[in-house]
Amino acid sequence: MPDRQLGWKQALVDYVSVVNEAGLLGDAKAFRRVPDPYHRMRLVRRAEALEERAALVRFKPIRSEMKARLLRYEAKETEVAADLQLHTVRSYEQDRFPWLEERVEKERIRLIKSGTRWRVDGIEPIATEQHPLPMANANRELVDEYGWPSRPVLPSIPLIKIDAEVPARSKVYAGPGTSGSWEDGCERSMPYRREEAVAYAERWWDRPNPAFENFAVNCTNYVSQCLFAGGAPMNYTGRRETGWWYKGRSGGQELWSFSWAVANSLQHYLSAPRAFGLRAEAVDSPRQLQLGDVICYDWDGNGGYQHNTIVTAFTPDGMPLVNANTVSSRRRYWDYRDSYAWTEQTRYRFFHLIDEF
């Protein structure tokens, strides 16, 4: 058994070495040694997109390092299915200013034994950024001409975020208003604490906060948590298709709004005008964004947004670096040309959060 394991594990090591070499040298030719033609095509397309980026931006890669971790496997006599985690750290430099970008990707790899040798037979990303979640009425916030919810609801008192160290999940509570008036002790304005939103994004970019549910497609849930950590007040309506709120899970029921956890719904919520609460304005350029602002991604250019990120840093020339989940990412260049989901049709929406809610 140890000799058999050594054979297929060595095949995994060889595959990781090929991908790391290509990233280190910036040479897509190394991908020719990736045995799965479909995954080879994914990697080559990503490399080509990054080459196009290199012609548009002034920073350059300095170093690339990849760490692989075997998460689980199922081994048979002549076949193995293994889940692999690849933690990539890349160094970039612009005007002599360096920064690190990190990304954690997971892949499911099938290996087969041919004669006395093991080889990789198939590679499939376990999660990518291209994961739309179709839900009835999940793509629009119902508001009237003044920006108020179309169904009368009581405004929420600003929510209390549970301490992040508490191990239990789903302990975030919405406090309903008592009179339906903003004069009942509820603060009329609160500052958006951008640094605190970024600090939260940095702390939880590669692991879930146990105080919240963790979704297989977690990008919007993560961004919503960051905004909440920065002081954005929940608008608790009790209806999943309106407001922006989270209460966890109870009795098998999901108690959060679509806008909290669905990428396209958050984009619609930020687009809608309103007189109070979480508000943003769409801007034309990523250069207009500040720390704690949000970028939404429509990979196919068809108007359906499938991914969200939060701005956590900037390059020396003022372009955003972002954090995200689903594919856990830290200080990743905003355009996402290194994503398997990116296409030539990709469109973006840039949202600048209002400084006071």
Side-chain angles (χ1 to χ4, degrees), residues 36-318:
D36 181 346
Y38 297 103
H39 193 60
R40 186 190 314 137
M41 181 173 61
R42 291 187 198 102
L43 292 169
V44 169
R45 284 179 176 173
R46 179 161 70 177
E48 291 174 348
L50 290 177
E51 286 183 11
E52 293 176 4
R53 175 204 280 172
L56 301 174
V57 300
R58 295 191 297 110
F59 66 82
K60 61 180 181 179
I62 303 172
R63 182 181 178 185
S64 179
E65 178 183 354
M66 181 176 289
K67 297 178 181 179
R69 177 185 173 194
L70 183 61
L71 299 177
R72 61 185 65 86
Y73 67 88
E74 181 179 346
K76 299 179 180 179
E77 190 69 26
T78 60
E79 182 179 334
V80 173
D83 288 354
L84 196 66
Q85 176 177 286
L86 302 175
H87 184 173
T88 304
V89 181
R90 288 199 172 98
S91 301
Y92 292 94
E93 183 181 71
Q94 185 181 75
D95 299 335
R96 298 184 179 181
F97 178 85
W99 72 89
L100 292 179
E101 172 188 296
E102 296 185 70
R103 186 166 66 249
V104 178
E105 297 175 290
K106 297 176 183 177
E107 298 177 346
R108 183 156 294 146
I109 302 178
R110 178 175 180 263
L111 304 101
I112 60 174
K113 189 176 183 181
S114 179
T116 59
R117 298 185 59 186
W118 286 89
R119 64 178 178 85
V120 173
D121 182 61
I123 306 166
E124 188 71 28
I126 293 177
T128 71
E129 288 88 4
Q130 192 169 11
H131 273 276
L133 288 181
M135 294 184 182
N137 299 320
N139 293 331
R140 61 193 183 96
E141 164 72 3
L142 305 177
V143 296
D144 64 17
E145 59 182 313
Y146 301 105
W148 293 84
S150 58
R151 175 187 176 189
V153 295
L154 297 178
S156 298
I157 294 174
L159 276 293
I160 299 174
K161 179 168 59 65
I162 195 167
D163 188 280
E165 297 298 333
V166 176
R169 280 186 184 172
S170 305
K171 297 293 185 180
V172 182
Y173 299 103
T178 56
S179 68
S181 168
W182 284 99
E183 303 302 327
D184 61 354
C186 180
E187 292 184 51
R188 291 190 63 97
S189 66
M190 294 176 294
Y192 181 33
R193 302 185 298 273
R194 297 179 181 275
E195 294 79 7
E196 293 186 25
V198 170
Y200 185 97
E202 290 282 275
R203 179 173 185 181
W204 298 106
W205 74 274
D206 63 342
R207 57 195 175 104
N209 182 344
F212 294 86
E213 290 288 331
N214 185 41
F215 301 92
V217 181
N218 202 56
C219 63
T220 306
N221 178 37
Y222 168 75
V223 168
S224 289
Q225 291 176 38
C226 294
L227 301 181
F228 185 43
M234 291 189 200
N235 176 21
Y236 177 68
T237 67
R239 301 175 62 208
R240 301 193 70 194
E241 67 272 17
T242 62
W244 177 75
W245 55 273
Y246 177 97
K247 289 188 71 175
R249 188 189 296 269
S250 176
Q253 288 187 310
E254 298 175 343
L255 301 177
W256 49 83
S257 64
F258 293 132
S259 59
W260 181 277
V262 180
N264 202 42
S265 296
L266 178 61
Q267 185 273 144
H268 275 275
Y269 190 84
L270 294 177
S271 300
R274 58 183 48 83
F276 61 88
L278 176 60
R279 293 172 294 153
E281 59 179 349
V283 295
D284 297 326
S285 166
R287 293 183 183 277
Q288 296 173 266
L289 298 177
Q290 298 179 20
L291 293 175
D293 285 342
V294 174
I295 303 178
C296 305
Y297 300 75
D298 170 9
W299 304 121
D300 306 311
N302 61 7
Y305 288 80
Q306 299 156 301
H307 186 56
N308 293 313
T309 66
I310 184 167
V311 177
T312 55
F314 293 90
T315 63
D317 66 347

